[in-house]
Amino acid sequence: MWGKSEPENGQGSAHLLLGHLLDAAAVGELVFDRYLSSSVRRSLDACSDGRGRKLFALLCGLHDVGKATPAFQMKDEGLAARVQAAGLGWRGLTVRQGRQWHHSAAGACIVRRGLTAAGWSREGTDWVWPLIAGHHGLIPPLSGTDPRNHVQAHGRASAWAQAQDGFVRRVAAELSVDLASLADVRVPRRAEQLTISGLIIMADWIASDETRFKGLPTLSEVSWERARDRAGRAWGELGLRGGWRVGAPAPVGVADLVSYRFGKPAWPIQQGVVRAAQGMPAPGLLIVEAPMGEGKTEAAFVAVEVLARRFGADGVFVGMPTQATADPMFARVQAWSERVDREAPLNLLHGRARFNRRWMELRRSVAFGGVHDGDEYGMGDDYGVGAPADLDRPATGAVAAAEWFFGRKRGLLAPVTVGTIDHLLHAATRTKHVMLRHAGLAGRVVVLDEVHAYDVYMAQFLFEALRWLADAGVPVVLMSATLPPQMRRDLVRAYVQGAAQRADVEADLDVLEEPAGYPNVTSVCVVDGKTRTAVEAHQSEREPLQVRVEVLEEQEDFASETVAAAVAAEVRGRGCALVVCNTVGRAQAVFTALRPVFGDDVVLLHSRFVAETRAERSESVIDQLGPLGRDGAVPRPERLVVVATQVAEQSFDVDVDFLVTDLAPIDLLLQRIGRLHRHQRPADHRPERFRVPRVLVTGVRFIDGRVPTWPSGSSVVYGDHLLVRSAALLAAAAADEGWSIPGQVPALVAEGYGSAPLGPPEWASTAAGYQEKWEQKQKGRESNAAEFLLSGERKLGAAALDGLHERSTEALESEERVAAVVRDGDESVEVVLVRRHPSGGFLTLNGRPLGPTGEAAVSDEKVFEDTVGATIRLPARPELTDAARRDLAPLPGWRDDAWLGRVRALELDVDLSARLGEYHLTYDDSSGLTHTRTGSR
């Protein structure tokens, strides 16, 4: 029986099935010994009375036994002849019939039969067969593994059944496993089963590396000893390892862990977070609510260490709301993780990680895994031009994860990973290979920042992820500056549901108290079926900031010139101001109006700049307006106006003298105010008129006796319901003494997201209509999200994984498609801007020659960097996305490059313009990409 063929060497060249099964089992041992955290090893040992290593290696070794069927053996004519010559035939079996019986389903049937014969109970086999059936990424229902409709394909003759059972027994014997002795294995929790499923795929993919596991065509070459030797060498060459070493996180006996790691005594909220982590009797959920600048992140890192030490985790996934916020967080995680264990592998997981210089410097130091997992696993690229692996690069070094972890679908397997929240939310979707994501999250601690930023649609995926994480015993730390009370309760509910494995946990939540102050820490866990909670409030270290709130008198058309004139009148000769607009178009218009007044003293930041420009501008602004003493800091300018969009809301550590912002939901408005007088500075460092913190709110028009109005773009982004409630709070503050920050933050957020009427009686009827429309939309979005959830509340308490993918959604093969699903937005496409050379060929956006077909980007590293620096995401317009997918492709000379061969090029003319579908696109280095709909071609 053959398990792997090598068509490039001609038919009849094979790796025997027994050889591949033993290779996978041997890799499984190494995964257990050298990759798994102690918590995952403990869970495997707990269900098998200390025999977790043998159990896991056995499951890896049985994953492909379904290849011992006519359906698979007939696939290679030359190898099939050897099987038939041995007396195993399949007369009358058609190719079509063979294709209808996948070896993963056949394997589930064979293993189920073999374990039953060995004395396993129905309960025992019911959780094992889905692991075998799912090793290609989809777990079918039991009916999908029934061979009665595939008798010929499965093997009609008794000799086939004898051979199939013989493989099960032979693999067990080679591993010195008595199948009958494992019959008493207890059923792991469902999330633990999903973890095992992902780890089996990991072992299979490693053992399928044809460069390191050469084919063994004769039985005399196959042995358990040789499989172990091959696996050991491959593991070393790939440079794979687990996360932090035992004992490295949170060393015992250190009184102030915050000071120990970061060199500054812990503040009260930080002490409270650490104390909560130390006091949790079981893995659970920590929610940290604190204003900006209170050290939430450092507190979360130390809490991660405490939780890792106490519950056996060896790494962390830190999820951020955007790529722009993930990059600075990666730098902080890198510095911290190196203090914990400088050899623990690091990964940065988002679509633009290649533009992060710190990350690319680390990545250059690692070896390429060279594992081909393309067509067989459904991971081919859009254009079929994937480049071969570079097998000659040096072995692993520094602290970057081994190159194997960079393959598609494997990013979360790296022990210490920073990425966008999308990667965690993807783990909550019913998609192919979702178990690989759970294998990466198991044995880690999960940290999510800015959790207030997730709307009701995204929240459904977050709740589903929390249910699975709780079931897997994964501790979670959530951070927010402004969290609505209902959102806090919903987050706790989801985690408790997962830990208790039941949907109705309302009685459990009766013990959950509302925080009595701000900042605060909420901790939740479930012990022996009983929910335990603790809530502590702490004194803020920040002096209260009394912010004066003013409203700009806008015209009916909300002209950008009105905003620009107000900014010019305020800033004049000195001062640093931030202007936050709700849409890119409005930000571009305000910037254009300010440019004649401020010249080079005004800068624009938004998402429609090419990657290099956006990164450089963001870094430059933070260098000028960031914390004193920051690496790279430059003297604060006498005058600077930064016009930005929502990119300035999150993880944007700048201090401005004066804030101008469009009306937004109250929590986001408070986030923006967090940039006002953010850092402690001597009073005379600010112009006199800005020594009292002031915010000027734009994008809203108050008219006596009528409901306020705002630009249509604000309605599209946020909806009228939250805006009218925010407007009511704004009007009250403008008529009074403003807001005290951070003291009033919890109450303001609670009111902004509450149900009690706000504003004068004249608003009531319209506001009620806004609310009804909003509630209907929320319900619809919840329902839409439910279609994609991995399992949902209805499956809580299920014993096994059978049927997990019965209603499988389409594979989300690109970051764009993942984002479109988990963020409920229109899909957008990333492109690289290039210019047509007047005399033929192409130029980079910056003017470097690319050659006739773009080939210089592949052969010259500087040209490559210049080329990829012009990456940009097109606006999320369905017609534009369709046109990009239809009309754009890589340049011909890029097809041999692993990254460029998968990216679309948008060719610009001499005016830096292009026509794409019904849109005219223009790029300008000062204002970014603009788009105008011009009609049909």
Side-chain angles (χ1 to χ4, degrees), residues 66-417:
K67 290 182 175 179
T69 55
F72 185 85
Q73 295 298 312
M74 71 182 297
K75 290 179 181 291
D76 185 302
E77 290 184 15
L79 299 174
R82 297 172 59 186
V83 179
Q84 291 172 317
L88 294 169
W90 48 84
R91 185 176 302 170
L93 179 64
T94 66
V95 172
R96 181 182 178 188
Q97 289 172 324
R99 287 175 178 168
Q100 291 175 340
W101 187 232
H102 195 272
H103 72 266
S104 58
C109 171
I110 292 167
V111 168
R112 192 164 57 234
R113 185 178 66 211
L115 296 183
T116 300
W120 283 50
S121 66
R122 174 69 179 270
E123 183 184 51
T125 60
D126 277 354
W127 76 267
V128 170
W129 72 255
L131 309 184
I132 307 302
H135 81 270
H136 274 260
L138 298 172
I139 299 177
L142 180 62
S143 60
T145 66
D146 188 343
R148 286 176 292 185
N149 296 325
H150 308 276
V151 175
Q152 280 283 79
H154 192 68
R156 182 184 296 275
S158 60
W160 277 104
Q162 292 170 8
Q164 292 160 359
D165 295 342
F167 272 106
V168 174
R169 292 193 298 269
R170 178 63 179 270
V171 169
E174 291 283 354
L175 273 61
S176 301
V177 171
D178 178 5
L179 290 175
S181 71
L182 284 176
D184 61 350
V185 166
R186 292 178 291 281
V187 180
R189 295 179 70 97
R190 197 158 173 257
E192 293 171 347
Q193 296 171 36
L194 196 60
T195 294
I196 297 169
S197 175
L199 293 170
I200 291 171
I201 294 174
M202 179 181 178
D204 179 28
W205 286 5
I206 293 171
S208 297
D209 178 358
E210 295 171 1
T211 64
R212 293 177 172 84
F213 292 85
K214 300 289 187 182
L216 302 177
T218 60
L219 197 59
S220 61
E221 297 177 278
V222 175
S223 70
W224 179 227
E225 291 74 22
R226 185 165 188 177
R228 279 178 157 174
D229 179 66
R230 284 152 59 94
R233 282 187 285 105
W235 190 273
E237 290 171 6
L238 289 170
L240 302 177
R241 59 156 283 175
W244 298 321
R245 292 167 294 183
V246 174
V252 177
V254 176
D256 185 346
L257 285 166
V258 174
S259 176
Y260 178 77
R261 285 292 181 224
F262 301 105
K264 297 179 181 178
W267 289 359
I269 181 61
Q270 295 174 322
Q271 294 170 354
V273 172
V274 175
R275 190 162 53 247
Q278 291 170 333
M280 295 174 71
L285 176 69
L286 277 179
I287 302 177
V288 184
E289 298 174 67
M292 296 66 72
E294 290 277 349
K296 289 192 300 292
T297 302
E298 290 78 7
F301 288 169
V302 172
V304 166
E305 291 191 50
V306 172
L307 295 168
R309 184 196 70 207
R310 296 188 59 226
F311 302 120
D314 70 347
V316 65
F317 170 73
V318 180
M320 302 297 293
T322 64
Q323 295 173 348
T325 56
D327 282 333
M329 180 58 75
F330 177 74
R332 299 174 75 175
V333 169
Q334 180 191 358
W336 160 60
S337 184
E338 286 181 353
R339 296 185 192 117
V340 179
D341 180 352
R342 68 174 300 103
E343 295 180 359
L346 287 163
N347 196 7
L348 177 60
L349 195 58
H350 65 69
R352 293 190 174 184
R354 59 191 169 275
F355 303 120
N356 184 298
R357 291 189 179 90
R358 181 187 295 267
W359 167 235
M360 291 309 295
E361 287 171 6
L362 288 177
R363 183 164 176 173
R364 289 189 187 101
S365 68
V366 302
F368 193 88
V371 180
H372 176 71
D373 53 11
D375 295 340
E376 183 173 6
Y377 303 108
M379 300 196 296
D381 61 84
D382 287 343
Y383 308 101
V385 295
D390 177 2
L391 303 179
D392 298 321
R393 293 175 62 180
T396 284
V399 293
E403 185 80 15
W404 190 87
F405 289 118
F406 304 153
R408 295 180 69 185
K409 307 191 181 187
R410 308 182 205 149
L412 281 177
L413 291 168
V416 179
T417 297

Side-chain angles (χ1 to χ4, degrees), residues 622-676:
I622 295 174
D623 285 345
Q624 295 178 80
L625 304 180
L628 296 171
R630 176 185 182 273
D631 288 343
V634 298
R636 188 176 177 89
E638 282 287 307
R639 185 177 76 160
L640 182 67
V641 177
V642 179
V643 181
T645 57
Q646 291 86 344
V647 297
E649 282 177 3
Q650 301 158 348
S651 301
F652 191 59
D653 193 5
V654 299
D655 173 313
V656 296
D657 303 316
F658 180 56
L659 176 68
V660 179
T661 171
D662 280 346
L663 177 71
I666 190 63
D667 54 333
L668 304 183
L669 204 55
L670 293 169
Q671 283 287 112
R672 298 174 186 183
I673 290 174
R675 279 67 194 152
L676 182 62

Side-chain angles (χ1 to χ4, degrees), residues 272-592:
V273 172
V274 175
R275 190 162 53 247
Q278 291 170 333
M280 295 174 71
L285 176 69
L286 277 179
I287 302 177
V288 184
E289 298 174 67
M292 296 66 72
E294 290 277 349
K296 289 192 300 292
T297 302
E298 290 78 7
F301 288 169
V302 172
V304 166
E305 291 191 50
V306 172
L307 295 168
R309 184 196 70 207
R310 296 188 59 226
F311 302 120
D314 70 347
V316 65
F317 170 73
V318 180
M320 302 297 293
T322 64
Q323 295 173 348
T325 56
D327 282 333
M329 180 58 75
F330 177 74
R332 299 174 75 175
V333 169
Q334 180 191 358
W336 160 60
S337 184
E338 286 181 353
R339 296 185 192 117
V340 179
D341 180 352
R342 68 174 300 103
E343 295 180 359
L346 287 163
N347 196 7
L348 177 60
L349 195 58
H350 65 69
R352 293 190 174 184
R354 59 191 169 275
F355 303 120
N356 184 298
R357 291 189 179 90
R358 181 187 295 267
W359 167 235
M360 291 309 295
E361 287 171 6
L362 288 177
R363 183 164 176 173
R364 289 189 187 101
S365 68
V366 302
F368 193 88
V371 180
H372 176 71
D373 53 11
D375 295 340
E376 183 173 6
Y377 303 108
M379 300 196 296
D381 61 84
D382 287 343
Y383 308 101
V385 295
D390 177 2
L391 303 179
D392 298 321
R393 293 175 62 180
T396 284
V399 293
E403 185 80 15
W404 190 87
F405 289 118
F406 304 153
R408 295 180 69 185
K409 307 191 181 187
R410 308 182 205 149
L412 281 177
L413 291 168
V416 179
T417 297
V418 178
T420 53
I421 184 69
D422 303 57
H423 293 278
L424 178 78
L425 302 185
H426 195 177
T429 61
R430 196 172 54 259
T431 46
K432 192 174 185 181
H433 292 115
V434 68
M435 56 282 287
L436 276 171
R437 297 178 181 275
H438 288 262
L441 293 167
R444 319 288 188 227
V445 180
V446 170
V447 177
L448 304 179
D449 198 6
E450 313 275 12
V451 292
H452 59 273
Y454 311 131
D455 61 21
V456 66
Y457 182 88
M458 291 178 68
Q460 305 312 305
F461 295 98
L462 178 54
F463 299 154
E464 178 72 351
L466 288 174
R467 285 190 279 267
W468 282 91
L469 292 170
D471 191 31
V474 174
V476 178
V477 181
L478 305 179
M479 297 186 288
S480 177
T482 53
L483 195 61
Q486 187 58 50
M487 182 63 166
R488 184 192 310 113
R489 188 175 179 87
D490 288 342
L491 292 166
V492 171
R493 175 187 292 107
Y495 197 90
V496 172
Q497 284 178 326
Q501 280 299 289
R502 47 189 167 81
D504 185 4
V505 295
E506 289 308 309
D508 301 66
L509 300 185
D510 289 343
V511 299
L512 181 64
E513 300 175 0
E514 285 292 317
Y518 180 74
N520 57 71
V521 186
T522 300
S523 62
V524 183
C525 63
V526 176
V527 181
D528 297 329
K530 184 176 181 181
T531 301
R532 300 190 183 185
T533 67
V535 181
E536 281 191 5
H538 302 275
Q539 184 69 37
S540 174
E541 283 293 303
R542 297 186 65 183
E543 289 293 324
L545 195 67
Q546 190 65 37
V547 177
R548 185 184 302 169
V549 178
E550 303 169 2
V551 179
L552 177 66
E553 187 172 331
E554 292 257 29
Q555 301 303 308
E556 191 172 352
D557 60 355
F558 295 100
S560 56
E561 291 80 6
T562 305
V563 178
V567 173
E570 288 285 352
V571 176
R572 302 178 206 147
R574 284 188 63 207
C576 297
L578 172 64
V579 182
V580 184
C581 301
N582 286 345
T583 64
V584 172
R586 183 165 163 88
Q588 289 172 324
V590 170
F591 170 78
T592 300

